[in-house]
Amino acid sequence: MSDEKKKGTAASAMPTAMAPPGLINKEDIPQVLPILPLRNSVFFPGGVLPLAVGRQKTIALIKDAVRDDQVIGVVTQRRAEEEDPGASDLYTMGTVARIVKLLKMGEDNYSLVVQGLARFRVMELVQEAPYLKARVDAVEDKTSSENVEVEALGINLKKLAREVIELMPELPAAATELVESITHPGHLADLIAANVDVPIEEKQAVLETVDLKARMKLVLELLNRKREILKLSNKIDSAVKGEMSKTQREYYLRQQLKAIKEELGEMGEEEEELDELQERLKKAALPPEVEKVAQKELNRLKTIPAASSEYTVARTYLDWIADLPWSKISEDNLDIENARQQLDKDHFGIKKVKKRILEYLAVRKLKNDMRGPILCLVGPPGVGKTSLGQSVAKATGRKFVRLSLGGVRDEAEIRGHRRTYVGALPGRFIQSMKKAGTKNPVMMLDEIDKLGADFRGDPSAALLEVLDPEQNSTFSDHYLDVAFDLSKVMFVATANQLDPIPGPLRDRMEIIELTGYTFEEKQAIARIHLVPKQLREHGLSGDHIEVQDEALLILTTSYTREAGVRNLERRIADICRAVAVEVAGGKMDKQVIGAERVKEILGPEMFYSEVAERTEVPGVATGLAWTAAGGDLLFIEATKMAGKGGMTLTGQLGDVMKESATAALSYLRSKAEALGIPPNFLEKTDIHLHFPAGSIPKDGPSAGVTILTALTSLLTGIRVRHDTAMTGEATLRGLVLPVGGIKEKVLAAHRAGIKRVILPERCRKDLIDVPDQAKNELEFIFATHMDDVLKAAMETSPFKEGALPAATSTDTPPAEVRA
C-alpha cells in the first residue's frame, strides 16, 4: 500500500498554494483531535496539501472525519519508515487541518486535499485504535504582526525570495507574484518554509517556533543558505561547461597533431605502445568472443586522451587480457612410472593420494580432453598436504601456483572488482592464472576450511562456480567480464577439518583423508627427508653429523607427540643448531647423535606413558578421542563420596557426552546385582565424573563404553588394565555401537604405548586403513555388548560367580580377536 506522503505534483514546479491564516478561531479547535501521521513532509498553517493515503488506520480516520465534518490534526513522523507510529514516533507540534477534497482511487487507496488552519501542540495520546487521537492545545503567534521589526523582516524575506526564484529558472514567473501578494508576515514565513528545499528537521523547527520574529529570522537563515547553494551550483555548472569545451578543443587538436605526425613518420610514444599492445593481443590467440571485446576496447582506447583517467583504466584492462594464458597449455608428462617415482621420492606413505594422481594420469593418457580433477586433502597439521601440491606438479610436468585462502572474507577476492572502482583488480584465480602462464597448472588452494564471510559477501559461495567441473569452463570474473576457461586446471585444496567447509562446496570436491603417521613412518620420513633438509638449511653435511636410528626413535616417541612431523622437524633443527655451534667454534670432528646425545641437547624427555600410573586406582579408564590434529587419549576419572545420589560431570562437556554418562549410570543400576554392587548404592552416595584437560571442549557419543567402564571399576573396586584403551557408543541396553575416526584413534593409542584396543564389532572393517605396523603391534578386542568390554578391560571379571552376562546369552562372536 502507498503511505501518507506529499504528492510529487505539489512540490515540483509551483510552490505550495497557501490560504490566508486565521481561518479558524482558537475556541473552535476541539480539545481532542484525530491525528494523521505525515511522513517525508511538514504541513504548515495556511497550506493546501494533496496526500495519498494507504494505511488502514488513516483510512478509518478520514472516513470518520468526513462523516462528522470535523477538523483533524496533521503531525510529522520522526522516522518515515515507521509503519505504525506511537507517541514517541511523532513530533509534538502539528497543524489543524480541514479536509477540502476526498477521492477514492482504489479499494484501499484514497487521495485527499487538506488545508492548514492553525498550529497546535500534542499534550498526550488518548487513543491508538482504530486510529490515533490526542489531547491538544491550540498555539498562537507570540509577537504582533504590527511590530516594526517584524515588518522589516518581511521586506527582507520577500527580497531574498525574489533572488532565489531568479536563480531557479524552472520556477514560473507566477511564483514571484505569489510571494509579493502575501501581506501577513507569519503566512509569508510559513509559505517560504513549506517550499524551500531543506531537511524535514529544519522545517519542523520553523513550525515549532511560536515567536513570530524568531520564526522569520529562522526562515531568513534557511533562505539565505539556499541562495548561496544555488549561486555555487550555477558557478560550478558554468565551470564544467567551460572545461568540457576546452577538452573537446584539445581532443580535436590532438587528432590533427596525430595526423601530421603520421604524415611525417614521427609516431609518438603513445601510438607505439598501442601498436605493441595490439600485437600482444594478436599473439594471445584470444577466443572469438574475447577478441571482439578486446578489439572494441582497443578502438575506444585510441580515441581517449592519454591524460584522461579513463585511458589508464582501459589500458590496464587490455594488459590483463593480453597477459592471460587463453590458449597456452603445457604438455603433460604422462609417464606413469616416472610420476610414481617422483611421488615416492618426495613423500613417504600417503598411498591414497598417490594412487589417485596416477589414476588421473592414466585416464589422461587414454582420453586427451579430460577435465582436471578437484581434490581436497583433509588431515591434521604437518602431514604434508601443502607440499604434496608441488610434488603433483613435478610428477605431471605442470606449472605450480599456490593460492592461500585462510582468512579471505571478501567475495571480490575470488571474483574480482568491477572496473568502475578505483584500483580495481581481477580476482585471485585470474591473478594466479597470469602468474602460471599456462591454462592447465596445478593450483593449490591452501586452507580452504579457513574461509570467512562478512558484509562484503561469502567467498565460499563464489568458489562454487570455480570448483564445479560443469561450470568452470566459463568462469566469469567481474573485472574481465568475459568467460575464462578453468576446466583444465588441476585443483588441489587442503583443509584441517571438513566441518567448516559448506556442504555445497564440499560436494564439488573429491575428499581424500590423510591421517597421522606411525612411529615407523615418522622415523623413515625423518631419515629420508627431514634430516637432509635441516643439514642443508644449517650449512652442515654428512662429514659434520650422523643421526643414528636410536636418536630418531627417541625423538618420535619421547620428544614429539603429534599426528604430523612439524615438531619432529623442529627438534631435528635444534640438534643441527647445537652441532653448528660446535662446528663454527672450530670442532671439526664428526658428531654422532645417539639417544644420550639427544637428551643432552634437548633436555629431559617431554612425553612418557602415563597410562599405568593413572589407572593404578579403580575408577579410571582410558578412552580414545578424535581431534582436528589426529587422535588422542582421553582419561575418564570417577570417584564417589557420601551424598544423596547425585552425579556431577566436569571437564567442559557437550550435551551428547552428558547423556552418555546418564545412560551409563542407568545401565549400571540395572546390572547392579550381576556385578555384585548393592542395589541401593546411590541412596547415600554421590558420584563425580571428571574428564581432564578441562579447557578443551569435548562432545560425542564415542566415550560411552569408557564412561561405563570407569563407573564399573569405581563401584566394584576392580582396576582397569593399564595397557588397554577403548572407544564406542554404549546404549541403555548395553549394546556397543560403531563410531568414527577409528584410524586416528588407533594411531593415537599406538603413539601412547597402548597394547590392547577395544573397538565395536562393526568397526572391524575400518582397520583396513590402519598401517600394518600399528596392526601388528596392537591387540584388538571387538565387542558387541558392554559385558564383553567389561570382561576384556578390567583386571578380573566384575561379574559375580554364577551371574550370566548378557553377551553370553546370545550367539555373538567371541569377544577377543587377535588382529
Side-chain angles (χ1 to χ4, degrees), residues 345-518:
K345 175 186 174 185
D346 291 345
H347 287 269
F348 186 87
I350 52 174
K351 295 177 182 176
K352 270 190 180 179
V353 190
K354 294 177 181 177
K355 176 173 173 283
R356 181 65 185 87
I357 301 302
L358 295 176
E359 288 171 354
Y360 167 72
L361 289 176
V363 177
R364 182 85 171 75
K365 193 171 185 177
L366 300 175
K367 189 173 185 292
N368 196 34
D369 61 345
M370 185 188 174
R371 291 171 175 167
I374 298 168
L375 309 178
C376 183
L377 309 179
V378 181
V383 295
K385 300 185 299 296
T386 303
S387 61
L388 191 62
Q390 293 176 331
S391 296
V392 172
K394 286 182 193 172
T396 55
R398 295 189 176 195
K399 297 280 188 177
F400 174 77
V401 283
R402 179 175 171 272
L403 202 159
S404 180
L405 297 176
V408 172
R409 293 178 175 273
D410 189 352
E411 182 250 358
E413 293 275 350
I414 308 299
R415 286 193 172 277
H417 303 84
R418 300 284 182 190
R419 293 204 304 278
T420 51
Y421 296 117
V422 176
L425 278 174
R428 291 192 177 201
F429 284 89
I430 296 299
Q431 292 181 39
S432 298
M433 294 303 293
K434 177 185 174 183
K435 191 187 300 181
T438 62
K439 198 176 177 181
N440 62 336
V442 174
M443 190 176 289
M444 171 66 73
L445 307 180
D446 228 355
E447 310 291 357
I448 200 170
D449 57 330
K450 308 296 190 305
L451 280 170
D454 62 9
F455 65 92
R456 290 164 292 190
D458 186 355
S460 62
L463 277 176
L464 295 178
E465 183 185 2
V466 178
L467 299 183
D468 190 341
E470 300 299 325
Q471 300 181 49
N472 62 11
S473 59
T474 56
F475 171 67
S476 176
D477 184 275
H478 288 159
Y479 183 86
L480 295 182
D481 209 21
V482 291
F484 189 88
D485 186 4
L486 293 176
S487 63
K488 306 297 183 190
V489 180
M490 181 187 287
F491 290 104
V492 182
T494 71
N496 294 129
Q497 301 179 61
L498 273 177
D499 293 343
I501 305 175
L505 183 58
R506 192 164 56 213
D507 185 56
R508 283 162 166 77
M509 300 184 291
E510 185 177 338
I511 307 297
I512 299 178
E513 294 192 8
L514 302 178
T515 51
Y517 296 113
T518 63

Side-chain angles (χ1 to χ4, degrees), residues 494-559:
T494 71
N496 294 129
Q497 301 179 61
L498 273 177
D499 293 343
I501 305 175
L505 183 58
R506 192 164 56 213
D507 185 56
R508 283 162 166 77
M509 300 184 291
E510 185 177 338
I511 307 297
I512 299 178
E513 294 192 8
L514 302 178
T515 51
Y517 296 113
T518 63
F519 292 137
E520 185 182 47
E521 288 173 331
K522 284 186 179 181
Q523 290 170 51
I525 291 168
R527 190 183 311 108
I528 299 168
H529 300 288
L530 304 184
V531 171
K533 177 184 174 184
Q534 289 305 317
L535 290 181
R536 286 194 305 272
E537 290 190 0
H538 290 86
L540 300 173
S541 66
D543 296 333
H544 299 125
I545 182 174
E546 178 189 343
V547 182
Q548 295 183 332
D549 287 347
E550 62 176 23
L552 297 177
L553 176 63
I554 195 171
L555 282 173
T556 55
T557 56
S558 301
Y559 286 92

Side-chain angles (χ1 to χ4, degrees), residues 103-123:
L103 292 174
K104 186 172 184 180
M105 308 301 290
E107 185 176 348
D108 289 318
N109 203 354
Y110 287 83
S111 179
L112 69 152
V113 179
V114 291
Q115 179 186 14
L117 304 177
R119 284 173 168 77
F120 72 90
R121 183 175 282 106
V122 177
M123 307 307 291

Side-chain angles (χ1 to χ4, degrees), residues 159-376:
K159 179 185 173 185
L160 204 53
R162 283 195 299 269
E163 291 182 25
V164 170
I165 291 169
E166 286 174 5
L167 289 168
M168 298 176 70
E170 66 268 22
L171 290 180
T176 307
E177 297 174 7
L178 176 64
V179 172
E180 292 293 343
S181 67
I182 297 172
T183 56
H184 193 281
H187 183 202
L188 178 64
D190 288 344
L191 166 69
I192 294 171
N195 288 282
V196 72
D197 185 18
V198 294
I200 297 296
E201 293 78 11
E202 295 186 5
K203 287 191 177 187
Q204 183 67 28
V206 174
L207 183 67
E208 292 180 0
T209 306
V210 178
D211 184 84
L212 188 54
K213 283 195 293 185
R215 188 194 313 162
M216 294 180 79
K217 287 179 181 178
L218 183 57
V219 174
L220 205 57
E221 287 178 16
L222 297 179
L223 202 55
N224 196 39
R225 192 171 70 202
K226 182 67 176 177
R227 181 186 64 176
E228 294 303 317
I229 290 171
L230 286 170
K231 279 184 177 179
L232 185 59
S233 175
N234 289 341
K235 184 179 177 182
I236 292 170
D237 191 39
S238 300
V240 168
K241 284 180 180 176
E243 187 65 31
M244 284 295 291
S245 301
K246 183 183 174 185
T247 305
Q248 288 170 352
R249 181 170 171 271
E250 284 182 357
Y251 171 71
Y252 177 67
L253 291 173
R254 285 182 187 279
Q255 290 297 105
Q256 284 186 324
L257 182 62
K258 182 180 176 184
I260 293 168
K261 284 184 176 180
E262 284 180 355
E263 286 294 324
L264 296 173
E266 297 176 359
M267 287 291 287
E269 186 180 335
E270 294 161 10
E271 289 82 359
E272 290 178 3
E273 286 181 357
L274 291 179
D275 288 344
E276 181 192 343
L277 182 58
Q278 190 161 11
E279 285 300 314
R280 285 168 57 203
L281 289 171
K282 283 181 183 177
K283 290 178 182 177
L286 305 177
E289 62 277 7
V290 180
E291 186 176 6
K292 185 178 177 183
V293 172
Q295 194 59 46
K296 182 180 177 183
E297 193 71 17
L298 184 62
N299 292 337
R300 193 173 76 88
L301 182 64
K302 290 176 180 178
T303 64
I304 301 174
S308 170
S309 60
E310 272 292 305
Y311 182 89
T312 307
V313 172
R315 173 66 197 268
T316 307
Y317 174 70
L318 288 172
D319 277 335
W320 274 101
I321 293 284
D323 289 340
L324 286 172
W326 297 95
S327 56
K328 188 177 179 182
I329 296 179
S330 61
E331 189 176 345
D332 281 346
N333 182 353
L334 301 177
D335 187 340
I336 306 298
E337 192 54 41
N338 173 69
R340 181 182 283 114
Q341 291 174 8
Q342 183 67 53
L343 292 171
D344 288 339
K345 175 186 174 185
D346 291 345
H347 287 269
F348 186 87
I350 52 174
K351 295 177 182 176
K352 270 190 180 179
V353 190
K354 294 177 181 177
K355 176 173 173 283
R356 181 65 185 87
I357 301 302
L358 295 176
E359 288 171 354
Y360 167 72
L361 289 176
V363 177
R364 182 85 171 75
K365 193 171 185 177
L366 300 175
K367 189 173 185 292
N368 196 34
D369 61 345
M370 185 188 174
R371 291 171 175 167
I374 298 168
L375 309 178
C376 183

